[in-house]
């Protein structure tokens, strides 16, 4: 008979109380069968993806999964895994034992009943929860799952899930990385209901203009409902990355307790938590093993538990804790010593980023933690770590590749720090990324020179450096791909960058003085210089006070690989400072010449012409930021009707009204969101959009008194599968 | 009353002082005190202090789009250039180092060591006096609008 060769006994067979029957060839077998020529294996459900085991396939022997490695059962007998598929419904639903006619695989029906395939009939496992499926689809879906698990890109997966229902289901079962770009576009229960086996989650909340205080504090994007839904559903969750979410300390506690495999936490631009929450994360991840067993013990036998525990002990510690640009709200005297809460003994820590944490940390605890983290490759400390402390950390972790240097200034005995720091940098062989420099004294800058030759990323955006101070350092960095500087380096400094850093891909120039009427030390001259030297530039964010069309056009011609072009001329409505003309031609050239452009931010004096260009040429544009620009509603129409890939449009202080808003009605369902603040929208216009597009959530935010009732100060609009959210604060009116 | 233009008469109103005709101001050596010479007031090397006195433009929320932690983190560099008539070179002074006008005057006095501080007979205004020729120096600065203002009127912060 085709099918299985006996290999050995699976310890877990029948251990979970599941009953199953399968037809192999023309024979029906069930789990109680004692026949020696066939053995029905059941894959232990505490294995990699915690899915309940079910039915055995017929036909060809399918080996293993993900490469067919063999396992050793608890009894010590090696056996090959047999591919096992998802199970179905409650015991009361049983299919008749009539083998269906054969069907070609290529004629796979979409959800038809009783069709196709040879010899597979599925019977329920009382513990299973999957909906009943027609059996032919069942085979194919499982074949599909095996194939689809190799798809990693979420866009590819989204496309695959649209082929047919069978593909949809198979894709849903195999998606392990879940990306949710707008936490209100879908509800936690829907997400959890569709994707059953998520191990990695990326969740984004507030619109980006929240970074600039345009979104009131209590607006929303709380993590709590997500955790509550995911805790029972995703026992295998390992990674969470949150951006612009409100995360409370209680959430961090729930997180630490609910996910035994949890390893990587990344919080970017989040708020709502304190060092107490960090302490919880640091401490509780080591207790994960006990918590997890309590949570799902009813699915395990004792044998299973032992397996589980031993598997777990090697992964019980946190692997990465990355806190990037968050608002960690602590009063100085209430700060918790969270660094001391990491468990004793060696840790698995690979990345620890806390440069945004405002409170000082316990240095001894930190030094000890670093010393017992042999896998640590990224460490970014906050500004309270002095240069003297930094050398001690570097000495304990010579393997670090990414270092955030804290203040990089002396506190007290300056001489010792400098010498020690010099030898630390001389000794470093592996540094490729440097940042921090929060309190840097210019005389310390030369210390980093020994590592410059291998640096690929350098962040001086907190360091006040003059061109003369930059020069000796930057000329040693030929391999730099990412550079952040303040405009204090001036056009001269940028010339040096252009001359030395030929491989530069990403440049950010922040303003030392971020006001409209500051002097501004970089200009069109610097931009032209960069474009001439850094031809491989992919991404640029440039703050300045003076710019010319010519410079922007030059950049568009020299740097055709640009994917991100963000130019911020800080003075509002400022024209080309040489010709007095609007900046239309410059930005027009960018969208025309840079064929890979997906993200654009415009500024300066701009008329409708600029937006006509963007609509005409910006065919790959996904993100657009507009401020103080445009003449009429035509601008908005050009954008909405011209840019098919536009996903994220954020507009402030532009003379766009209801007509412009309505011109995009055919496009809004393709977008993730639209933000318009301080424009000329009225409530009527927004209501009309809300009527025309029932699946758009149209939020009117009114956080300032004294605005007439009919005009709309801030509009935030996004597509959603679940309609208006139920946690909107009083100042948000959902139309 | 004074040799300055209408602008400085406003100044006088604010400060309530009578200016001596021979009053010397901090400024470039050789610069004149011609009335109405507005372009000369905007000397390139004059002491400029960026005090936003009611500002010509109201600051807009969230613009420029730089996150607030970046603005705070960078300690504002309040270095200003100080020029004194008759001094061969200028000095730079970090305003953040001083807690009040008196300290600033003291520092200036130390830098331009030829002066001593004395109290004006008229008011509580402090002035720097060159002991050699008795000429009084009044600290002034050029504000955002290009006006010369007397140091000391605005609260130190």
């Amino acid at each position: 008979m085709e099918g299985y060769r006996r290999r050995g006994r699976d310890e877990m067979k029948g251990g979970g109380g599941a009953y199953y029957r399968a037809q192999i060839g023309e024979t029906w077998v069930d789990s109680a069968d004692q026949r020696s020529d066939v053995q029905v294996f059941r894959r232990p459900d505490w294995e990699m993806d915690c899915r309940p085991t079910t039915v055995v396939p017929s036909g060809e022997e399918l080996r293993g999964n993900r490469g067919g490695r063999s396992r050793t059962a608890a009894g010590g007998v090696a056996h090959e895994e047999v591919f096992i598929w998802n199970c179905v419904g409650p015991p009361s639903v049983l299919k008749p034992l009539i083998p269906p006619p054969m069907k070609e695989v290529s004629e796979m029906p979409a959800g038809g009943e009783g069709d196709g395939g040879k010899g597979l009939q599925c019977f329920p496992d009382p513990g299973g929860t999957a909906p009943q499926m027609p059996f032919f689809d069942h085979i194919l879906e499982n074949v599909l799952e095996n194939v689809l698990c190799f798809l990693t890109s979420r866009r590819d997966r989204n496309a695959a899930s649209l082929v047919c229902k069978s593909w949809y289901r198979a894709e849903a079962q195999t998606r392990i990385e879940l990306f949710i770009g707008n936490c209100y576009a879908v509800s936690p229960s829907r997400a959890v209901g569709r994707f059953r086996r998520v191990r990695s989650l990326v969740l984004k909340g507030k619109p980006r203009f929240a970074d600039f205080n345009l979104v009131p504090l209590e607006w929303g994007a709380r993590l709590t409902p997500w955790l509550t839904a995911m805790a029972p559903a995703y026992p295998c969750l390992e990674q969470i990355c949150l951006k612009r979410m409100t995360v409370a300390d209680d959430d961090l506690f729930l997180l630490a307790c609910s996910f035994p495999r949890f390893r990587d936490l990344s919080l970017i631009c989040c708020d709502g938590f304190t060092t107490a929450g960090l302490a919880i994360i640091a401490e509780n991840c080591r207790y994960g093993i006990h918590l997890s067993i309590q949570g799902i013990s009813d699915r395990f036998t004792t044998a299973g538990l032992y397996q589980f525990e031993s598997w777990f002990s090697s992964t019980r510690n946190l692997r990465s804790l990355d806190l990037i640009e968050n608002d960690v709200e602590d009063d100085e005297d209430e700060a918790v010593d969270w660094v001391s809460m990491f468990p004793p003994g060696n840790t698995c820590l690979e990345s620890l980023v806390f440069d945004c944490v405002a409170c000082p940390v316990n240095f001894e605890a930190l030094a000890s933690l670093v010393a017992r983290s042999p896998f640590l490759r990224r460490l970014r400390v906050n500004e309270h770590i002095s240069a003297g402390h930094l050398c001690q950390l570097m000495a304990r972790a010579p393997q670090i590749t990414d270092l955030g240097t804290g203040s990089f200034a002396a506190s007290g005995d300056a001489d010792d720090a400098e010498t020690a720091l010099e030898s630390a940098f001389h000794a470093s062989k592996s540094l490729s990324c440097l940042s921090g420099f929060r309190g840097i004294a210019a005389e310390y800058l030369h210390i980093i020179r020994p590592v410059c030759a291998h640096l690929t990323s350098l962040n001086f955006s907190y360091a006040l450096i003059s061109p003369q101070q930059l020069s000796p350092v930057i000329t040693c960095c030929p391999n730099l791909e990412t550079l952040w500087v303040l405009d204090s380096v001036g056009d001269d400094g940028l010339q040096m960058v252009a001359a030395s850093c030929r491989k530069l891909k990403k440049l950010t120039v922040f303003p030392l003085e971020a006001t409209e009427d500051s002097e501004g030390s970089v200009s069109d001259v610097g931009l032209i210089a960069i474009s001439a030297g850094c031809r491989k530039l992919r991404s640029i964010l440039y703050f300045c006070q003076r710019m010319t069309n010519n410079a922007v056009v030059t950049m568009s011609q020299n740097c055709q690989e640009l994917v991100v072009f963000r130019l911020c001329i800080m003075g509002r409505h400022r024209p080309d400072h040489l010709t007095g003309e609007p900046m239309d031609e410059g930005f027009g050239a960018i969208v025309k010449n840079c064929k890979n452009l997906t993200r654009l931010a415009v500024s300066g004096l701009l008329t409708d012409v600029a937006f006509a260009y963007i609509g005409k040429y910006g065919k790959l544009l996904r993100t657009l930021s507009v401020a103080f620009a445009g003449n009429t509603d035509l601008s908005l129409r050009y954008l909405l009707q011209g840019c098919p890939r536009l996903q994220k449009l954020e507009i402030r202080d532009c003379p766009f009204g209801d007509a412009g808003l309505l011109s995009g009605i055919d496009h809004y369902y393709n977008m993730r969101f639209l933000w318009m603040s301080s424009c000329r929208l009225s409530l009527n216009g927004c209501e009309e959009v809300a009527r025309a597009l029932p699946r758009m959530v149209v939020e009117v935010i009114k956080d300032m008194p004294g605005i007439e009732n009919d005009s709309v100060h801030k509009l935030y609009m996004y597509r959603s599968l679940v309609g208006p959210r139920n946690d909107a604060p009083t100042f948000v009116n959902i139309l | 009353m004074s040799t300055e233009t209408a602008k400085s008469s406003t100044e006088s109103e604010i400060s309530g002082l009578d200016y001596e005709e021979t009053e010397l101001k901090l400024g470039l050596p050789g610069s004149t005190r011609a009335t109405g010479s507005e372009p000369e007031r905007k000397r390139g090397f004059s002491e400029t202090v960026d005090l936003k006195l009611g500002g010509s433009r109201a600051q807009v929320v969230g613009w420029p789009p730089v996150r607030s932690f970046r603005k705070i983190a960078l300690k504002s560099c309040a270095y200003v250039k100080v020029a004194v008539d008759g001094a061969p070179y200028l000095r730079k002074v970090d305003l953040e180092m001083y807690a009040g006008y008196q300290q600033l005057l003291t520092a200036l006095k130390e830098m331009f060591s030829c002066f001593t501080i004395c109290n004006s007979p008229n008011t509580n205004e402090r002035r720097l006096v060159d002991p050699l020729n008795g000429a009084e120096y009044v600290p002034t600065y050029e504000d955002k609008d290009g006006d010369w203002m007397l140091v000391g009127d605005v609260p130190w912060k």
Side-chain angles (χ1 to χ4, degrees):
Chain A
M1 144 190 329
E2 327 166 75
Y4 305 91
R5 270 162 265 149
R6 181 178 182 172
R7 293 278 184 263
R9 257 198 127 74
D10 177 349
E11 290 290 319
M12 291 297 291
K13 182 164 176 271
Y19 166 81
Y20 47 87
R21 276 178 71 104
Q23 183 181 28
I24 301 159
E26 293 185 339
T27 311
W28 284 98
V29 181
D30 69 30
S31 51
D33 212 82
Q34 298 300 316
R35 291 163 59 152
S36 60
D37 58 349
V38 65
Q39 194 67 251
V40 177
F41 293 93
R42 180 186 169 189
R43 208 164 94 214
D45 64 358
W46 44 262
E47 243 261 19
M48 292 295 281
D49 47 14
C50 298
R51 108 178 116 164
T53 58
T54 57
V55 178
V56 186
S58 71
E60 299 299 307
E61 180 177 72
L62 293 172
R63 284 164 200 260
N65 67 343
R66 291 160 182 83
R69 56 174 194 273
S70 62
R71 290 184 53 254
T72 306
V77 177
H79 67 275
E80 283 177 14
E81 289 180 339
V82 175
F83 192 63
I84 303 179
W85 295 325
N86 240 345
C87 138
V88 293
S92 58
V93 180
L94 293 174
K95 292 227 167 193
L97 302 179
I98 304 169
M102 274 282 278
K103 257 224 170 156
E104 289 299 304
V105 173
S106 57
E107 287 174 41
M108 178 177 69
E113 286 283 313
D115 280 332
K118 183 180 166 129
L120 179 72
Q121 184 112 131
C122 23
F123 286 87
D125 174 348
T129 51
Q132 178 155 27
M133 289 178 292
F135 45 85
F136 182 66
D137 291 328
H138 206 208
I139 305 173
L140 292 167
E141 274 187 39
N142 287 282
V143 170
L144 262 179
E145 285 184 21
N146 240 350
V147 171
L148 288 178
C149 65
F150 292 105
L151 271 185
T152 48
S153 151
R154 69 176 191 268
R155 295 198 172 92
D156 290 344
R157 284 187 158 273
N158 291 345
S161 69
L162 293 175
V163 170
C164 64
K165 282 193 182 170
S166 193
W167 282 55
Y168 175 91
R169 281 192 294 263
E171 192 282 313
Q173 293 292 0
T174 53
R175 188 181 298 220
I176 55 177
E177 293 172 356
L178 183 57
F179 174 90
I180 295 176
N182 175 3
C183 64
Y184 287 122
V186 67
S187 70
S189 51
R190 271 190 83 134
V192 160
R194 176 175 170 186
F195 300 109
R196 303 295 188 97
R197 297 190 194 149
V198 169
R199 285 190 232 166
S200 166
L201 174 74
V202 176
L203 187 58
K204 297 189 180 181
K206 299 179 200 170
R208 195 178 74 96
F209 275 0
D211 291 353
F212 314 121
N213 304 324
L214 289 180
V215 176
L217 273 177
E218 296 299 311
W219 178 81
R222 282 173 203 90
L223 182 61
T224 318
W226 287 90
L227 284 183
T228 318
M230 292 192 311
Y234 295 153
C236 304
L237 191 67
E238 292 181 8
Q239 295 181 332
I240 290 187
C241 175
L242 303 172
K243 190 165 185 182
R244 295 195 189 94
M245 297 286 297
T246 296
V247 181
D249 288 341
D250 287 341
D251 293 330
L252 293 175
F253 180 71
L254 188 58
L255 197 151
C257 294
S258 308
F259 304 111
R261 300 192 181 198
F262 186 70
R263 305 185 69 176
D264 300 305
L265 178 64
S266 180
L267 299 176
I268 305 171
C269 303
C270 296
D271 66 315
F273 62 98
T274 68
T275 48
L278 298 180
I280 293 166
I281 292 289
E283 180 184 28
N284 281 311
C285 287
R286 69 173 154 151
Y287 294 129
I289 184 174
H290 301 296
L291 293 166
S292 71
I293 287 174
Q294 276 180 6
I296 46 180
S297 59
D298 54 346
R299 291 168 62 172
F300 286 59
T301 62
T302 331
L305 274 179
Y306 280 124
Q307 297 272 354
F308 192 93
E309 196 166 315
S310 62
W311 186 87
F312 231 80
S313 59
S314 62
T315 60
R316 66 177 177 192
N317 293 133
L318 198 61
R319 188 169 62 182
S320 67
L321 178 60
D322 295 336
L323 308 168
I324 300 169
E325 298 188 2
N326 298 292
D327 206 1
V328 185
E329 308 155 1
D330 272 297
D331 292 329
E332 278 282 334
D333 47 354
E334 285 175 6
V336 171
D337 180 6
W338 55 279
V339 179
S340 303
M341 303 305 279
F342 281 93
N346 276 2
T347 75
C348 300
L349 211 54
E350 292 179 23
S351 172
L352 179 62
V353 175
F354 64 94
D355 50 356
C356 64
V357 176
C359 317
V361 295
N362 178 339
F363 177 70
E364 282 72 35
L366 180 64
S368 157
L369 176 67
V370 167
R372 61 183 199 275
S373 302
F375 301 108
L376 193 66
R377 50 166 177 78
R378 174 159 73 178
L379 175 67
R380 296 193 187 172
V381 299
N382 68 10
E383 57 191 337
H384 295 285
I385 301 292
S386 67
H389 283 163
L390 185 68
C391 341
Q392 295 181 48
L393 294 176
M394 289 176 74
R396 285 170 169 79
Q399 76 283 2
I400 281 186
T401 60
D402 180 333
L403 181 66
T405 58
S407 74
F408 213 68
S411 68
D413 42 4
D415 294 333
D416 288 357
E418 193 168 341
T419 331
L421 210 49
E422 271 171 358
S423 36
F425 273 91
H426 266 290
S428 163
K429 302 269 175 290
S430 51
L431 273 178
S432 63
C433 177
L434 275 183
S435 60
F437 307 105
R438 301 260 177 156
I440 186 171
E443 49 266 24
Y444 274 24
L445 210 46
H446 69 96
I447 296 178
I448 71 168
R449 283 176 71 176
V451 299
C452 284
H454 301 292
L455 275 187
T456 56
S457 172
L458 182 55
N459 187 337
F460 276 150
S461 65
Y462 289 97
L464 216 162
I465 299 176
S466 70
Q468 297 75 27
Q469 291 161 350
L470 180 68
S471 172
V473 173
I474 204 71
T475 44
C476 301
C477 302
N479 289 313
L480 218 52
E481 294 180 12
T482 302
L483 176 64
W484 304 48
V485 286
L486 283 179
D487 65 353
S488 61
V489 302
D491 288 329
D492 291 343
L494 293 179
Q495 307 255 14
M496 295 171 202
V497 171
S500 315
C501 308
R502 298 285 172 164
K503 299 185 188 175
L504 200 67
K505 291 198 183 136
K506 180 170 172 179
L507 175 67
T508 306
V509 181
F510 276 117
L512 172 59
E513 211 186 312
T515 57
E516 271 192 83
D517 31 18
S518 65
E519 222 182 276
S521 321
V522 298
S523 68
D524 46 297
V525 173
L527 195 69
I528 292 181
I530 290 287
S531 76
C534 308
R535 308 297 281 261
K536 298 188 188 167
L537 203 64
R538 298 250 178 99
S539 168
I540 181 166
L541 169 58
Y542 196 88
F543 283 85
C544 61
Q545 291 285 18
R546 293 181 306 285
M547 188 47 61
T548 61
N549 279 308
N550 179 49
V552 182
V553 170
T554 308
M555 172 154 267
S556 78
Q557 290 162 345
N558 286 342
C559 304
Q560 302 216 344
E561 293 181 40
L562 275 177
V563 175
V564 173
F565 183 79
R566 299 160 70 192
L567 176 63
C568 182
I569 304 169
M570 292 193 277
R572 290 174 277 164
H573 308 295
R574 211 165 271 181
D576 179 323
H577 79 97
L578 287 181
T579 66
E581 284 173 2
M583 292 298 300
D584 299 336
E585 294 304 315
F587 286 105
I590 288 281
V591 283
K592 189 170 169 192
N593 296 335
C594 303
K595 311 257 189 303
N596 299 328
L597 199 76
T598 58
R599 182 172 182 182
L600 179 65
V602 300
S603 60
L605 180 65
L606 292 170
T607 69
D608 292 341
V609 172
F611 297 97
Y613 282 135
I614 297 174
K616 183 172 178 190
Y617 295 110
K619 296 306 173 187
L620 294 185
L621 206 60
R622 289 208 300 264
T623 306
L624 179 61
S625 305
V626 184
F628 304 102
N631 298 129
T632 71
D633 285 328
L634 278 178
S635 291
L636 202 46
R637 198 175 84 184
Y638 291 141
L639 289 178
L640 293 168
Q641 295 179 353
C643 301
R645 301 269 179 106
L646 194 59
Q647 293 278 294
K648 297 177 260 184
L649 181 55
E650 41 189 33
I651 299 175
R652 64 166 294 176
D653 293 276
C654 296
F656 304 149
D658 295 341
L661 183 70
L662 292 167
S663 66
I665 286 207
D666 292 334
H667 191 71
Y668 291 136
Y669 276 154
N670 295 332
M671 290 174 60
R672 191 187 292 175
F673 73 79
L674 168 68
W675 169 282
M676 284 179 70
S677 61
S678 304
C679 297
R680 297 192 187 156
L681 299 174
S682 79
L683 213 51
N684 283 335
C686 298
E687 281 170 346
E688 199 173 327
V689 173
R691 274 195 297 273
L693 302 173
R695 293 231 187 228
M696 290 300 286
V697 174
V698 181
E699 292 194 13
V700 173
I701 299 171
K702 192 169 173 180
D703 57 343
M704 276 174 48
I707 299 196
E708 307 111 41
N709 279 336
D710 193 48
S711 70
V712 166
H713 181 220
K714 291 177 185 170
L715 168 71
Y716 182 51
M717 197 164 89
Y718 50 90
R719 64 185 172 188
S720 173
L721 294 176
V722 292
R725 56 189 176 116
N726 53 11
D727 63 351
T730 48
F731 53 79
V732 170
N733 177 19
I734 300 184
L735 302 179
Chain B
M1 176 180 67
S2 76
T3 57
E4 278 78 23
T5 64
K7 283 197 179 176
S8 65
S9 63
T10 317
E11 223 173 86
S12 312
E13 283 162 18
I14 293 170
S15 63
L17 292 173
D18 283 330
Y19 289 99
E20 302 283 341
E21 216 164 0
T22 56
E23 178 205 37
L24 295 176
K25 284 194 165 183
L26 295 174
L28 270 185
S31 51
T32 63
R33 296 280 174 279
T35 62
S37 54
E38 187 157 336
E40 284 191 310
R41 286 168 175 261
K42 299 195 199 314
R43 303 182 194 107
F45 295 103
S46 317
E47 179 179 16
T48 50
V49 175
D50 276 353
L51 292 189
K52 298 192 174 38
L53 305 170
S56 47
R57 271 184 154 175
Q59 295 295 330
V60 177
V61 173
W63 187 262
V66 175
R67 299 200 58 200
S68 44
F69 66 80
R70 283 200 180 272
K71 296 186 188 181
I72 298 167
L74 297 162
K75 283 276 178 235
S76 60
C77 221
Y79 275 97
V80 294
K81 287 180 181 165
V82 177
V84 174
D85 271 351
Y89 45 78
L90 289 71
R91 301 300 302 267
K92 259 214 163 164
V93 159
D94 181 3
L95 289 183
E96 297 217 328
M97 300 259 300
Y98 308 108
Y101 287 111
Q102 183 54 32
Q103 289 187 20
L104 176 62
L105 273 189
T106 315
L108 289 178
K109 180 199 93 172
E110 282 167 18
M111 280 188 181
F112 300 95
S113 52
C114 41
F115 303 130
T116 56
I117 297 183
C118 79
N119 282 331
S120 149
N122 295 335
T123 66
N124 280 333
E125 276 295 320
R126 305 257 177 211
R127 296 176 183 224
L128 296 173
V129 179
D130 181 344
L132 287 182
N133 57 18
E136 289 180 345
Y137 285 77
V138 178
T140 57
Y141 64 92
E142 187 176 13
D143 75 351
K144 275 275 150 254
D145 300 323
D147 301 328
W148 285 101
M149 313 290 293
L150 182 71
V151 166
D153 291 328
V154 184
W156 177 252
K157 283 253 173 278

